[in-house]
Amino acid sequence: AGRLTVIVARSAGYCYGVERALQITENALLSSRTPIATLGPIIHNPAVVNELAARGVSAVDDLDAIAAGTVVVRTHGVPPAVIQEARRRGLVVVDATCPFVTVAQRKAAALRDAGYVVVVLGERDHPEVAGLAACAGPASVVVEDPVQLDRAALRGLRIGVVVQTTQSYASLSRLASALAPLGRETLVYNTICEATQQRQEAACEVAGEVQLVLVVGGRNSANTRRLAALCREIQHRTYHVECAQEIQSEWLQGVDSVGITAGASTPDEEIEAVVEAVLRRAAKA
């Protein structure tokens, strides 16, 4: 548009796990005659969650908020005990956990059962990490950065590692390097989703080509925040927005090129709306 070039990352927006979860929820809406609730937001995108709420799918924090009906397990998964308790209460359980998260949970449980102390690399308060830690057992350790490791407590032990699926390879590499001299035996399962890596690589490519980056997605989305952080390391003029309305005209002043990427919970229409908003502002300049 005039002097402005807009580049959208080659890999951006919905991933397989998100599309699958939304389709599972849609099928539940069509087939169920009972109330439907999700344990937490089905994906980390406020607009999508609000749209589902308008159609009768409520998002609740725990099982006590569901008297009867169907409960949909979110993409991030939950501790296995939560699913067992839901079934004990007579609720219909529809599991929309991302298959990659399910694999990570199984790896964590296998390490626990084999006698390893499991280190979970991920954001401590993230729901996916809560599920991984539950599968890894009470002796598991959650770290967001290798500097948080209690090296004395781990020295000489058999250590196993699983990773939140939206972490970066760089973070995993740093953790593996930190653990290598500590454990008597260290077994690392790389449970990072391949789509996450592709999205991060594509975002970094764009950030290196433009004067400003817009990262689109929910602020409660871990993978979107990580995209913004990675892009900011390359292009300091990086802004995380949830929607097109948040774009500020002064951001675009003196800018000839804008890169756009989006988190795994961001629908195409939100990406397109951001592109259109940028082009409209360029046309008026």
Side-chain angles (χ1 to χ4, degrees):
R3 61 176 177 78
L4 183 68
T5 299
V6 177
I7 303 174
V8 179
R10 57 181 168 80
S11 178
Y14 277 172
C15 66
Y16 165 73
V18 165
E19 290 182 332
R20 175 180 175 273
L22 292 175
Q23 186 60 59
I24 288 173
T25 306
E26 182 68 26
N27 293 342
L29 265 172
L30 295 175
S31 61
S32 177
R33 296 184 179 180
T34 60
I36 299 176
T38 64
L39 280 175
I42 186 68
I43 63 173
H44 278 156
N45 184 285
V48 173
V49 172
N50 291 338
E51 180 183 345
L52 286 171
R55 298 176 62 197
V57 180
S58 58
V60 301
D61 292 330
D62 54 56
L63 294 176
D64 291 338
I66 309 172
T70 298
V71 58
V72 180
V73 177
R74 64 199 298 178
T75 49
H76 312 97
V78 296
V82 175
I83 295 178
Q84 295 169 6
E85 176 61 17
R87 288 175 175 152
R88 189 192 69 78
R89 296 186 184 195
L91 299 173
V92 176
V93 177
V94 176
D95 193 354
T97 304
C98 171
F100 295 104
V101 174
T102 299
V103 168
Q105 289 183 344
R106 289 173 178 165
K107 296 290 189 184
L111 287 169
R112 175 203 66 206
D113 292 343
Y116 290 87
V117 173
V118 183
V119 175
V120 181
L121 174 61
E123 298 178 31
R124 188 176 303 278
D125 296 327
H126 194 279
E128 178 187 334
V129 174
L132 289 176
C135 292
S140 62
V141 178
V142 176
V143 295
E144 297 183 23
D145 189 281
V147 298
Q148 299 170 343
L149 289 171
D150 185 342
R151 295 172 181 268
L154 293 172
R155 195 173 300 280
L157 299 179
R158 299 173 71 220
I159 303 170
V161 176
V162 293
V163 192
Q164 182 182 1
T165 56
T166 55
Q167 287 287 314
S168 68
Y169 283 169
S171 294
L172 175 56
S173 178
R174 287 193 298 270
L175 178 62
S177 296
L179 289 173
L182 298 179
R184 173 165 53 91
E185 175 188 352
T186 302
L187 177 56
V188 178
Y189 282 123
N190 174 11
T191 51
I192 297 172
C193 170
E194 184 178 352
T196 293
Q197 180 65 12
Q198 292 172 347
R199 188 173 288 102
Q200 291 175 354
E201 289 176 352
C204 290
E205 286 174 5
V206 169
E209 298 175 4
V210 298
Q211 295 176 318
L212 181 143
V213 179
L214 296 175
V215 183
V216 190
R219 288 189 175 81
N220 59 344
S221 166
N223 74 86
T224 306
R225 293 196 304 269
R226 192 159 293 108
L227 284 176
L230 290 170
C231 289
R232 200 168 286 118
E233 290 178 0
I234 300 169
Q235 173 51 260
H236 73 278
R237 298 178 71 175
T238 293
Y239 300 94
H240 180 176
V241 298
E242 286 193 344
C243 60
Q245 288 73 20
E246 294 182 2
I247 299 171
Q248 299 180 27
S249 297
E250 55 265 32
W251 294 349
L252 302 174
Q253 292 177 1
V255 171
D256 294 327
S257 54
V258 175
I260 296 174
T261 187
S265 296
T266 306
D268 287 346
E269 53 265 30
E270 288 187 7
I271 301 173
E272 292 165 2
V274 168
V275 172
E276 291 170 3
V278 171
L279 293 177
R280 281 198 306 271
R281 283 171 167 79
K284 292 179 181 179

